[in-house]
Amino acid sequence: MTGNLARTLRRPASGIWLLHVRFLFCFLLNLLLAAGALAQATAPIDTTRGRYHRPVFRQVQVRRNVEFAHVTTFLGLPQTLYMDVYEPAGDTVRRRPVVVLAHEGGFLTGTRDDAVMTDLCTRLARLGYVAATIDYRLYFFPFDTVGIGRAAIRATQDMRAAVRFFRHDAATARRFRVHPQYVFVGGSSAGGFMALQTGYLNKASEVPAYLDLAALGGLEGSGGHAGYSSRPRGVINLCGALARASWLEAGDPPLCSVHGTRDGLVPYGRGTIGAQLPPQLVYGSAALRT
């Protein structure tokens, strides 16, 4: 696996945690460099004078409640999804990398303005990135492995819709001045699951039959901007996991993982998840780096 990077931290077993700034800077710089190495035909991103790895911007502007998708909930009701977009104030660069981030919460709780997401988006914007923290569909029933598996697919469809949204904008209005070839995805815990699935769950045949992918709308879903690619340039996994390590294949987007070795919620290595559910085997950051 090319470009598979990892950093391990020790975090408390519960509670919200914030990634130390020095890990974040190293982590993102390596991701950009790894991504650039994968496609020599793409004009490289200019990282001179500290941009993208030093906080060269003091002020950040936030566009709140940006509508990016129209979806259907697990109850069959319509839902509009929004994101908050963070940008470096006064920036003049015409095409910038964008990082799409999703919050934690076990597909049951959480909002796009939680402390981890707002902190990461602010730090990213000060580095020169565009960063977005997104809504995604929450809740599931029945409260079992099948229910949460379907919730994870729906949420991943929503992240894919956000990626397509930015690529559509880059090809049309250019409201956010993003570089369409440098769209990264990431998230914390449940958001990490989403980012990993966005990057590596790319074949319908990989989805277990009992989840009924066709009934869910396929891998892409129907959130909008069909015809634009949802493939990310790189994946940022903060304490997430995958149901199959074999989903990572040669040629896939590079992966950076940050995970606590004593994580009591999502296994750092190979293990089970879901204390109140039938156990589900997953592969955490240590299992995905090999």
Side-chain angles (χ1 to χ4, degrees), residues 2 4 20 28 76 100 124 131 140 149 155 178 193 221 236 267 272-273 284 288:
T2 302
N4 193 345
H20 195 285
L28 289 168
V100 177
L124 284 166
F140 55 91
V178 302
F193 277 76
I236 301 167
T272 58
I273 191 170
L288 297 178

Side-chain angles (χ1 to χ4, degrees), residues 11 53 86-87 120 130 152 170 250 287 289:
R11 72 164 178 170
H53 58 99
Y86 292 64
E87 301 171 83
L120 289 180
V130 178
R289 67 180 297 184

Side-chain angles (χ1 to χ4, degrees), residues 63 94-95 168-178:
R63 305 194 206 196
R94 296 178 60 187
R95 295 199 301 176
H168 172 265
D169 178 77
T172 55
R174 299 183 183 178
R175 179 182 176 191
F176 300 100
R177 290 187 284 131
V178 302

Side-chain angles (χ1 to χ4, degrees), residues 93-112:
V93 171
R94 296 178 60 187
R95 295 199 301 176
R96 306 167 293 184
V98 57
V99 184
V100 177
L101 294 169
H103 62 81
E104 59 189 34
F107 304 106
L108 284 171
T109 65
T111 61
R112 67 181 186 271

Side-chain angles (χ1 to χ4, degrees), residues 129-153:
Y129 292 84
V130 178
T133 172
I134 65 170
D135 284 340
Y136 58 90
R137 282 170 286 179
L138 300 175
Y139 312 120
F140 55 91
F141 187 83
F143 194 68
D144 59 13
T145 301
V146 175
I148 198 170
R150 289 175 174 163
I153 293 292

